[in-house]
Amino acid sequence: QLQFVESGGGLVQPGGSLRLSCAASGFTLDYYGVAWFRQAPGKEHEGVSCISFSDERTYYADSVKGRFTISRDNAKNTVYLQMNSLKPEDTGVYYCGAAGDDFIGPSLLARWDHTFYWGQGTQVTVSS
């Protein structure tokens, strides 16, 4: 089955940090861009960040700029999301999805349905 396996979520206090991992299963990340999305209860999917394969250009939602960092290790077939200075509004299930490298850009963050190979997600809860 071709999908991502997301991990690294948990319960953290406001101001804390988490590092999420998104490992490709059944396929290689070569030539794919990858995007992180999140979904809070009762809300729509929200784009968080994305990274290309060719030049590792990165894009972030305004709500996470300066706090989150996306990176990738192609040798490990994994993409990461380092989340610092977490806020309660960062709470949600975090998913990653693949996209053609040419589609990696700010507009992809508004089109989760243009990505594929989604996994089960990992829950992030920011609460005191």
Side-chain angles (χ1 to χ4, degrees):
Q1 189 173 2
L2 309 180
Q3 66 179 43
F4 285 109
V5 178
E6 299 94 343
S7 62
L11 173 63
V12 63
Q13 292 187 342
S17 298
L18 284 173
R19 188 194 194 205
L20 305 185
S21 297
C22 168
S25 177
F27 67 102
T28 175
L29 280 181
D30 290 357
Y31 308 112
Y32 286 117
V34 178
W36 281 98
F37 296 86
R38 65 189 180 190
Q39 188 174 30
K43 293 189 177 181
E44 296 292 323
H45 291 88
E46 176 189 10
V48 175
S49 181
C50 56
I51 185 169
S52 70
F53 170 77
S54 57
D55 54 3
E56 296 194 11
R57 61 188 183 276
T58 59
Y59 302 90
Y60 297 91
D62 288 342
S63 58
V64 307
K65 276 180 184 175
R67 300 188 297 122
F68 290 11
T69 303
I70 190 171
S71 62
R72 62 190 296 158
D73 185 336
N74 294 325
K76 294 184 178 180
N77 227 19
T78 301
V79 172
Y80 304 98
L81 186 68
Q82 178 67 43
M83 306 188 298
N84 299 328
S85 302
L86 283 162
K87 304 175 180 180
E89 51 264 43
D90 294 318
T91 294
V93 181
Y94 283 67
Y95 303 88
C96 45
D101 212 42
D102 290 347
F103 290 95
I104 294 299
S107 61
L108 183 66
L109 298 181
R111 296 305 305 266
W112 65 271
D113 56 327
H114 281 196
T115 62
F116 42 90
Y117 298 156
W118 282 46
Q120 297 300 308
T122 185
Q123 175 71 46
V124 171
T125 303
V126 184
S127 174
S128 54

Short mmCIF file of all heavy atoms in Angstrom, two decimals, residues 3-7 21-24 34-38 79 94-98 115-119 121-122:
data_model
loop_
_atom_site.label_atom_id
_atom_site.label_comp_id
_atom_site.label_asym_id
_atom_site.label_seq_id
_atom_site.Cartn_x
_atom_site.Cartn_y
_atom_site.Cartn_z
N GLN A 3 1.54 4.81 0.94
CA GLN A 3 1.05 5.84 1.84
C GLN A 3 2.19 6.35 2.69
O GLN A 3 3.26 5.78 2.74
CB GLN A 3 -0.05 5.30 2.76
CG GLN A 3 0.41 4.24 3.76
CD GLN A 3 -0.73 3.78 4.65
OE1 GLN A 3 -1.85 3.56 4.19
NE2 GLN A 3 -0.45 3.67 5.92
N PHE A 4 1.93 7.47 3.35
CA PHE A 4 2.86 8.00 4.34
C PHE A 4 2.51 7.44 5.71
O PHE A 4 1.36 7.12 6.00
CB PHE A 4 2.78 9.52 4.40
CG PHE A 4 3.44 10.22 3.25
CD1 PHE A 4 2.68 10.87 2.29
CD2 PHE A 4 4.82 10.25 3.13
CE1 PHE A 4 3.29 11.52 1.22
CE2 PHE A 4 5.44 10.90 2.08
CZ PHE A 4 4.67 11.54 1.12
N VAL A 5 3.52 7.34 6.55
CA VAL A 5 3.33 6.99 7.95
C VAL A 5 3.81 8.18 8.78
O VAL A 5 5.01 8.47 8.83
CB VAL A 5 4.11 5.72 8.34
CG1 VAL A 5 3.92 5.41 9.81
CG2 VAL A 5 3.66 4.54 7.49
N GLU A 6 2.85 8.88 9.39
CA GLU A 6 3.17 10.06 10.18
C GLU A 6 3.38 9.65 11.64
O GLU A 6 2.68 8.77 12.15
CB GLU A 6 2.05 11.09 10.10
CG GLU A 6 1.76 11.62 8.70
CD GLU A 6 0.66 10.87 7.99
OE1 GLU A 6 0.33 9.74 8.42
OE2 GLU A 6 0.11 11.39 7.00
N SER A 7 4.31 10.31 12.32
CA SER A 7 4.58 10.02 13.73
C SER A 7 5.18 11.24 14.40
O SER A 7 5.54 12.21 13.73
CB SER A 7 5.53 8.83 13.85
OG SER A 7 6.77 9.13 13.25
N SER A 21 7.47 13.34 11.96
CA SER A 21 8.11 12.63 10.85
C SER A 21 7.04 12.09 9.91
O SER A 21 5.93 11.74 10.34
CB SER A 21 8.95 11.46 11.36
OG SER A 21 10.01 11.91 12.17
N CYS A 22 7.39 12.01 8.65
CA CYS A 22 6.48 11.55 7.62
C CYS A 22 7.30 10.62 6.73
O CYS A 22 8.08 11.08 5.90
CB CYS A 22 5.97 12.77 6.87
SG CYS A 22 5.10 12.44 5.37
N ALA A 23 7.14 9.32 6.93
CA ALA A 23 7.93 8.34 6.20
C ALA A 23 7.13 7.74 5.07
O ALA A 23 5.98 7.32 5.26
CB ALA A 23 8.38 7.23 7.15
N ALA A 24 7.71 7.70 3.89
CA ALA A 24 7.05 7.11 2.73
C ALA A 24 7.10 5.59 2.84
O ALA A 24 8.15 5.02 3.12
CB ALA A 24 7.73 7.56 1.45
N VAL A 34 6.39 17.33 -1.03
CA VAL A 34 5.59 16.86 0.09
C VAL A 34 5.04 18.06 0.85
O VAL A 34 5.72 19.07 1.04
CB VAL A 34 6.43 15.99 1.04
CG1 VAL A 34 5.58 15.54 2.24
CG2 VAL A 34 6.97 14.76 0.31
N ALA A 35 3.80 17.94 1.26
CA ALA A 35 3.15 19.00 2.03
C ALA A 35 2.61 18.45 3.34
O ALA A 35 2.15 17.31 3.39
CB ALA A 35 2.01 19.62 1.22
N TRP A 36 2.66 19.26 4.38
CA TRP A 36 2.02 18.96 5.65
C TRP A 36 0.71 19.75 5.74
O TRP A 36 0.68 20.94 5.43
CB TRP A 36 2.90 19.38 6.83
CG TRP A 36 4.01 18.44 7.16
CD1 TRP A 36 5.33 18.54 6.78
CD2 TRP A 36 3.94 17.26 7.98
NE1 TRP A 36 6.06 17.50 7.30
CE2 TRP A 36 5.24 16.69 8.05
CE3 TRP A 36 2.91 16.63 8.66
CZ2 TRP A 36 5.51 15.54 8.76
CZ3 TRP A 36 3.19 15.47 9.38
CH2 TRP A 36 4.48 14.94 9.43
N PHE A 37 -0.34 19.05 6.19
CA PHE A 37 -1.62 19.66 6.45
C PHE A 37 -2.03 19.31 7.86
O PHE A 37 -1.52 18.37 8.45
CB PHE A 37 -2.68 19.16 5.46
CG PHE A 37 -2.40 19.52 4.04
CD1 PHE A 37 -1.58 18.73 3.24
CD2 PHE A 37 -2.96 20.67 3.49
CE1 PHE A 37 -1.32 19.07 1.94
CE2 PHE A 37 -2.70 21.02 2.17
CZ PHE A 37 -1.88 20.22 1.39
N ARG A 38 -2.99 20.02 8.40
CA ARG A 38 -3.54 19.68 9.70
C ARG A 38 -5.04 19.90 9.69
O ARG A 38 -5.57 20.66 8.88
CB ARG A 38 -2.89 20.49 10.82
CG ARG A 38 -3.16 21.99 10.75
CD ARG A 38 -2.30 22.73 11.77
NE ARG A 38 -2.53 24.18 11.74
CZ ARG A 38 -1.79 25.06 12.39
NH1 ARG A 38 -0.75 24.65 13.14
NH2 ARG A 38 -2.06 26.35 12.32
N VAL A 79 10.20 13.01 5.47
CA VAL A 79 10.09 14.47 5.59
C VAL A 79 9.78 14.78 7.05
O VAL A 79 9.04 14.03 7.71
CB VAL A 79 8.98 15.01 4.67
CG1 VAL A 79 8.72 16.49 4.92
CG2 VAL A 79 9.37 14.79 3.21
N TYR A 94 -2.15 15.98 12.18
CA TYR A 94 -1.23 16.41 11.13
C TYR A 94 -1.02 15.27 10.14
O TYR A 94 -0.72 14.13 10.52
CB TYR A 94 0.10 16.84 11.74
CG TYR A 94 0.03 18.20 12.38
CD1 TYR A 94 -0.72 18.43 13.53
CD2 TYR A 94 0.72 19.29 11.84
CE1 TYR A 94 -0.79 19.68 14.12
CE2 TYR A 94 0.67 20.55 12.41
CZ TYR A 94 -0.10 20.74 13.55
OH TYR A 94 -0.17 21.99 14.12
N TYR A 95 -1.15 15.60 8.87
CA TYR A 95 -1.00 14.64 7.79
C TYR A 95 0.04 15.16 6.79
O TYR A 95 0.25 16.37 6.68
CB TYR A 95 -2.31 14.48 7.01
CG TYR A 95 -3.52 14.07 7.80
CD1 TYR A 95 -4.33 15.02 8.40
CD2 TYR A 95 -3.87 12.73 7.90
CE1 TYR A 95 -5.47 14.65 9.10
CE2 TYR A 95 -5.01 12.34 8.60
CZ TYR A 95 -5.80 13.31 9.19
OH TYR A 95 -6.93 12.93 9.88
N CYS A 96 0.63 14.26 6.04
CA CYS A 96 1.44 14.71 4.92
C CYS A 96 0.94 14.05 3.64
O CYS A 96 0.35 12.96 3.66
CB CYS A 96 2.93 14.44 5.13
SG CYS A 96 3.33 12.82 5.76
N GLY A 97 1.13 14.76 2.55
CA GLY A 97 0.70 14.29 1.25
C GLY A 97 1.74 14.61 0.20
O GLY A 97 2.47 15.59 0.32
N ALA A 98 1.80 13.77 -0.82
CA ALA A 98 2.76 13.98 -1.90
C ALA A 98 2.11 14.76 -3.03
O ALA A 98 0.88 14.76 -3.19
CB ALA A 98 3.26 12.64 -2.42
N THR A 115 -3.12 16.52 -3.21
CA THR A 115 -2.02 15.68 -2.73
C THR A 115 -2.52 14.26 -2.53
O THR A 115 -3.73 14.00 -2.52
CB THR A 115 -1.42 16.23 -1.44
OG1 THR A 115 -2.41 16.23 -0.40
CG2 THR A 115 -0.92 17.65 -1.64
N PHE A 116 -1.58 13.33 -2.36
CA PHE A 116 -1.98 11.92 -2.30
C PHE A 116 -1.03 11.14 -1.40
O PHE A 116 -0.06 11.68 -0.88
CB PHE A 116 -2.02 11.32 -3.71
CG PHE A 116 -0.86 11.73 -4.58
CD1 PHE A 116 0.31 10.99 -4.61
CD2 PHE A 116 -0.94 12.86 -5.39
CE1 PHE A 116 1.38 11.36 -5.42
CE2 PHE A 116 0.13 13.25 -6.19
CZ PHE A 116 1.29 12.50 -6.20
N TYR A 117 -1.35 9.85 -1.21
CA TYR A 117 -0.61 8.93 -0.35
C TYR A 117 -0.74 9.30 1.14
O TYR A 117 0.15 9.04 1.93
CB TYR A 117 0.86 8.85 -0.71
CG TYR A 117 1.17 8.34 -2.10
CD1 TYR A 117 2.36 8.67 -2.75
CD2 TYR A 117 0.28 7.53 -2.78
CE1 TYR A 117 2.64 8.21 -4.02
CE2 TYR A 117 0.55 7.06 -4.05
CZ TYR A 117 1.73 7.41 -4.67
OH TYR A 117 2.02 6.95 -5.93
N TRP A 118 -1.85 9.88 1.51
CA TRP A 118 -2.06 10.26 2.91
C TRP A 118 -2.06 9.05 3.82
O TRP A 118 -2.58 7.99 3.46
CB TRP A 118 -3.41 10.98 3.04
CG TRP A 118 -3.37 12.39 2.59
CD1 TRP A 118 -2.83 12.89 1.44
CD2 TRP A 118 -3.92 13.51 3.27
NE1 TRP A 118 -2.99 14.24 1.37
CE2 TRP A 118 -3.66 14.66 2.48
CE3 TRP A 118 -4.61 13.66 4.47
CZ2 TRP A 118 -4.07 15.93 2.87
CZ3 TRP A 118 -5.01 14.93 4.85
CH2 TRP A 118 -4.74 16.05 4.05
N GLY A 119 -1.52 9.23 5.03
CA GLY A 119 -1.55 8.19 6.05
C GLY A 119 -2.64 8.47 7.07
O GLY A 119 -3.62 9.16 6.78
N GLY A 121 -2.19 10.00 9.92
CA GLY A 121 -1.97 11.24 10.63
C GLY A 121 -1.41 11.01 12.03
O GLY A 121 -1.37 9.89 12.54
N THR A 122 -0.98 12.11 12.64
CA THR A 122 -0.47 12.05 14.01
C THR A 122 -1.09 13.22 14.79
O THR A 122 -1.13 14.35 14.30
CB THR A 122 1.07 12.09 14.05
OG1 THR A 122 1.53 11.91 15.39
CG2 THR A 122 1.66 13.37 13.48
#
